[in-house]
Amino acid sequence: MAVSDYLVTDDLTVLLGFIGVTVFLLQNLYKPQPLVHPILLGRQSDAGRVRHPGESTVYRNYGTGLLGRFPVRPDKDVNVVNDFLKPEFDAPRTLWSTKITNAQLKTSISAFGSGIARLVSEESTVLILLNDCIEFLISDLALSEQSIASITLNSPKLLTGVLEMHRPDAIITDATFLPHVLELIYDAREHHHKIIVVGESDSNLKPKGMKEVEIYSWNEVESTGKVPQAPKNTPQSDSPYTVSFFESPSGERRGVQLTHENFTSGVTAIKSLFPVASSLSTLDTIVSAHSLSTPYGRAIAYTALFEGASFATLPSTTVFHVKDAPTLDVTDVLSAINRIPSPTVLFLKPEHVQSLTSAVISRAKKSFFLYPLAWRHKFAGLREGFLSKDSLWDRTVFDGAREAVLGKMADTLKAVVISGGPLPFDSLAPARIALSVPLINIHTHGSAAGPLFATHASDMQMLPSSSATPEPAHVGAPSINVEAKLVGVDDDVVEKGADPIGEILVRGPPVGSMLSAEGESGEKNAWVQTGEKGRVMTNGAFKVLGFM
């Protein structure tokens, strides 16, 4: 037979061939493209060329490089925390439930700073015992302006020890917490305190035996400072600014001294979490689940101040409780909506994200027939590194579920930053499908004003675990101005090419100087032991496996 006999076609052959080519082209042309090139996620850290016995090599963010300089300022004109308030921003924004301009905020800071400078000397320390509110921010920035060191606590359990070991010259507290403070001062037999009270307090609360304790109202101090009092010394970027005490997982009290540069570096690192296309601006509203009594929580608030964005914190950030602490769930997140413009960026804890995910998925499952198909297509996109909230499946299934749970925030939300504990690996895919916005998983520590590790905003990888036991989701590479290493690693295992596992040590501009048991500040830029166990993956991303 001739070759032409094998090439004889009929209409059916042509039709099947056309259908096959069309399906092939559609599959390739309409296949979701990853939001970030896989090569960029294949090497997230720049690793040192040498390592010491029992240690891993030193890791830096790949974008910074081993020889690059760490960024320490979000802007060339920002040297101290008071510079976060840009004079060119004259539009009002909402801080908690207060609508205020930068000029008005600066006036309040100057007045309160001048007033408190008349009560205590520049060498004094002031303990801020306030839950998150605008008065906390004003107090903090006012003390900074007058070069008076502040002290904060992330737990009321630390209060007794701090009053005994690091006796402050003045205390700023809320009226509801004043009776507890007076009781502790009376028991400590240290009655030489000045107490500034926010809110209405009972003038008969002070025991008769505490004549040396002077109680002032917030408004009284602010009124006495209406005539400005210039600070004797102008704060510098390396000036000690605040001391933060936090509770370790073992219950031990640890303290860290932070300078202005630590906080300007922290804000710089937080800004770098967001891609240029979705960077923060005056149009944003930031809501945080991290207390201002922590360095990281304060850095988030300062980021909002710097960007001119509105800002609020959740009820669960309350440190000094009168009633039971709120639970970390959907209700906690939604509590912020009524007080401020609709949030665009959420800094949440893993429990919040899991609760939001569960609520949205439960609502979406009410679309009995479409939900399985929608889930399958969204999940297939994730596997290809693609995520969108404008797909057909969002419009038909998930948009309604998100709106039912989040209300108007479902339309305005553009990013969620997760920290404050391990996020289970199997929670990532459902959370991304449910919320359909970038989820940035980061790791923080009480010694640092910024993130220590952070994932790329468009990192959708589902990396398999090399361990037989369940592990949390990875937290990405070191932040842009942090370097990290592991100690206590098994040299033989590492030499064979396995992932190093050991205790995480960090240092860099956002990391403060740890205090000794006697309260002395440690060496600047020294390695800080986090007390946490970590593993470095092949691509340079870290996993925090728990506590040592």
Side-chain angles (χ1 to χ4, degrees), residues 34-72:
L35 299 177
V36 59
H37 199 285
I39 291 178
L40 296 177
L41 302 177
R43 189 178 178 185
Q44 300 188 27
S45 294
D46 206 356
R49 304 296 178 259
V50 297
R51 69 180 186 88
H52 298 292
E55 298 183 358
S56 73
T57 186
V58 175
Y59 296 88
R60 282 190 175 196
N61 188 283
Y62 189 75
T64 304
L66 290 173
L67 302 179
R69 296 183 62 182
F70 286 137
V72 296

Side-chain angles (χ1 to χ4, degrees), residues 33-42 384-386 456-461:
Q33 298 299 311
L35 299 177
V36 59
H37 199 285
I39 291 178
L40 296 177
L41 302 177
E384 298 295 335
F386 178 80
H456 192 286
S458 299
D459 185 356
M460 308 294 168
Q461 296 179 103

Side-chain angles (χ1 to χ4, degrees), residues 330 353-365 401-402 405 434:
V330 176
V353 175
Q354 290 175 291
S355 179
L356 285 173
T357 301
S358 177
V360 172
I361 295 296
S362 297
R363 188 78 182 189
K365 285 182 177 178
R402 283 192 285 265
V405 175

Side-chain angles (χ1 to χ4, degrees), residues 32 49 56 68 97 105 120 183 244 277 290 358 366 378 417 448 478 497 525 527 542:
R49 304 296 178 259
S56 73
S97 56
L105 193 57
V120 298
E183 182 180 343
S244 178
H290 302 276
S358 177
K366 293 185 177 181
K378 294 279 287 185
V417 183
N525 202 34
W527 287 104
F542 280 67

Side-chain angles (χ1 to χ4, degrees), residues 244-246 254-259 262-263 294-296 444-450 452 505-515 526-530 532:
S244 178
F245 289 95
F246 60 97
R254 301 187 69 185
V256 59
Q257 185 181 74
L258 298 127
T259 64
N262 293 137
F263 278 95
T294 64
Y296 174 60
T444 61
H445 188 259
S447 64
L452 300 180
L505 271 65
V506 295
R507 69 180 180 185
V511 183
S513 302
M514 299 301 296
L515 300 183
W527 287 104
V528 172
Q529 294 178 290
T530 63
E532 296 165 325

